[in-house]
Amino acid sequence: MKVLVIGSGGREHALCWKISQSKGVSKIYCAPGNGGTQQVAQNIDMDPNDIDGLLKFALDESIDLTIVGPEDPLAKGIVDRFEEKGLRIFGANGRSAQLESSKIYAKEFMEKYEIPTARYGRYGNIDEAIERLKDFQYPLVIKADGLCLGKGVVICDTKEMAMETLKAMMEDRIFGAAGENIIIEEFLEGAEASLLCFVSQGRLIPMESAKDYKQIYEGDEGPNTGGVGCYSPSEHFNEELKARIDGEILSSIELGLKHEYLSYNGVLFIGLMLTERGPKVLEFNVRFGDPETQVLMPRLESDIVDIIQKAIDGNLTRGGLAWTGRSCLTVVNTSKGYPGEYEKGKEIKGLDELGQHIIVFHNGTEVKDGRLYTDGGRVMSITTLANSLEEARDSIYKDMDRISFDGMYFRGDIGKM
Ligand code: AMP
Ligand code: GLY
C-alpha cells in the first residue's frame, strides 16, 4: 500500500520511520519532508497547506492512506476534502480541529463537559478584560484565542505585565485576528505531562505518557519553544493517576466529542498539569506532538499502519497497542537565534560518528549536493531507548557533542528531574 505523510518536522520523520517498518507498505511519500524523511520516504515538494494540490496528488498516485502532521491543514479542512473524494485520511476534521485552533472553543467544551481545567474568563473587549483582572491572583495566564505558533500564551507576574499583554494582543494586534478574543486564566502549579490518544470514531485510546521541555534554556528559563527535549514515560503516570485520568478526563471528552458532533479518526493530544488537586487539562491539540512523537514511536511495538487502519474503521482498542517498558529520551539541537529569528544553511557534521543505539530524527534539515544543512529552528531530535531514563540520558549526552554545526545549541538538562 502507498502512504502519504504531510508535514516536514521531527514528528513526520518519526512517523515515516515507524511506517517504514510496517509490512504492508510498499511506498511512503512525505510532503514536503526534510533531509531525514528522505532516508525512508520520497519527499514531495508541496506545501502542507496546498490542499487542492495534495488532493490531486493523492488521487493521481492512488494513495491508500494519508496521515496529517501539522495543525494548519487540519484546521483548513484537509480531512473533510479528502473524505469527500472517498480517500482514507487520518486526522481531525475541520469542525474537530477547533479544539486546537480556538482556545475559547476548547475551554467552553471543557466547561460544558465538566473536564477539570483552570478557572477562566473570555473577553473580546480590552476595557472589560482589564476590569476583570481583579478576579484573578498573580501570576495569571493570558491566552490569545487563535493559533499563534506557540507564542500566544503569556504568564503574567504583575498587573503591569498583564495590562501590557492585553494591550499588545487586543489593541496592537501583534497576533492579528488570533488575539482579538482572549482568555484570562488561573495559574496552575504542578508537573506538566503530555498524553496523546489515538481517536477511533470518537473513542480515545491513550498512548503512553510523555514529558516535553518547552523553554529554550536549562532550568526551564527563557522563552517558550515548540519543545526542545522529551522523554517517555512520565514518572508520574502510575496506575492510580491513569485511572483518575480515565474517569475524570477521557470519559468526559468522549461524551463531549459525541454530543458536539466532533467525532473523528486521528490524534487528540491532551496537555495536562498534574496539580495537588488532581490532573487538569491545559490544552488540546488535534495532532501528534513534536517532539512527543519522537519518543513514542520508538516505544511502540505494534504496527502503526495497522493501528491507524483500525482507528479509521472504528475497531481500535487498548489491547491493540503494545509498548516497550523501556524509556525513550530525545534531545533537540537548535539553530542560533531560535525561538526568535534563526540562522539556516549551516553544514551538519558528525552524524556518522554516533553510536548504533542512537536514532536521529530530523526536524529542520536539507540535503544539497549530498551534504546535510540546517533548515529550521529545531534541527534534529537525538533519540535513544534504554532500560532507564538515566541510562538513556547518559548515552545521549555522550554523543551530543559529536554532532556539529555553526551556532548549534541544546539543553544539557533534558531528562533530569
Ligand atoms: P498552552 O498552549 O495552553 O499549552 O500553553 C503553553 C504553556 O503555557 C503550557 O505548556 C504551560 O507550560 C503554560 N501554561 C498554560 N496555561 C497554564 C496555566 N493555566 N497555568 C500554568 N501554566 C500554564
Ligand atoms: N510539543 C508540543 C506540541 O507539539 O505542541
Side-chain angles (χ1 to χ4, degrees), residues 71 101 103 143-153 169 175 178-179:
E71 59 272 27
S101 64
K103 291 196 187 288
K143 300 185 177 184
D145 177 44
L147 293 174
C148 304
L149 295 169
K151 295 184 179 144
V153 175
M169 287 185 185
F175 300 125

Side-chain angles (χ1 to χ4, degrees), residues 202-270:
R203 279 183 307 107
L204 302 183
I205 296 98
M207 302 184 210
E208 287 280 282
S209 58
K211 153 78 184 156
D212 182 21
Y213 288 80
K214 292 214 161 64
Q215 282 88 5
I216 186 78
Y217 301 128
E218 287 170 20
D220 290 338
E221 300 281 343
N224 263 351
T225 69
V228 288
C230 197
Y231 63 83
S232 173
S234 152
E235 66 279 19
H236 300 287
F237 269 64
N238 53 29
E239 291 310 313
E240 188 194 336
L241 178 63
K242 285 184 193 168
R244 201 159 171 191
I245 290 172
D246 262 337
E248 294 174 16
I249 297 179
L250 301 189
S251 54
S252 307
I253 296 174
E254 284 180 340
L255 188 72
L257 293 179
K258 189 166 162 205
H259 281 209
E260 303 297 320
Y261 303 102
L262 295 172
S263 181
Y264 65 96
N265 308 312
V267 171
L268 183 71
F269 169 146
I270 308 171

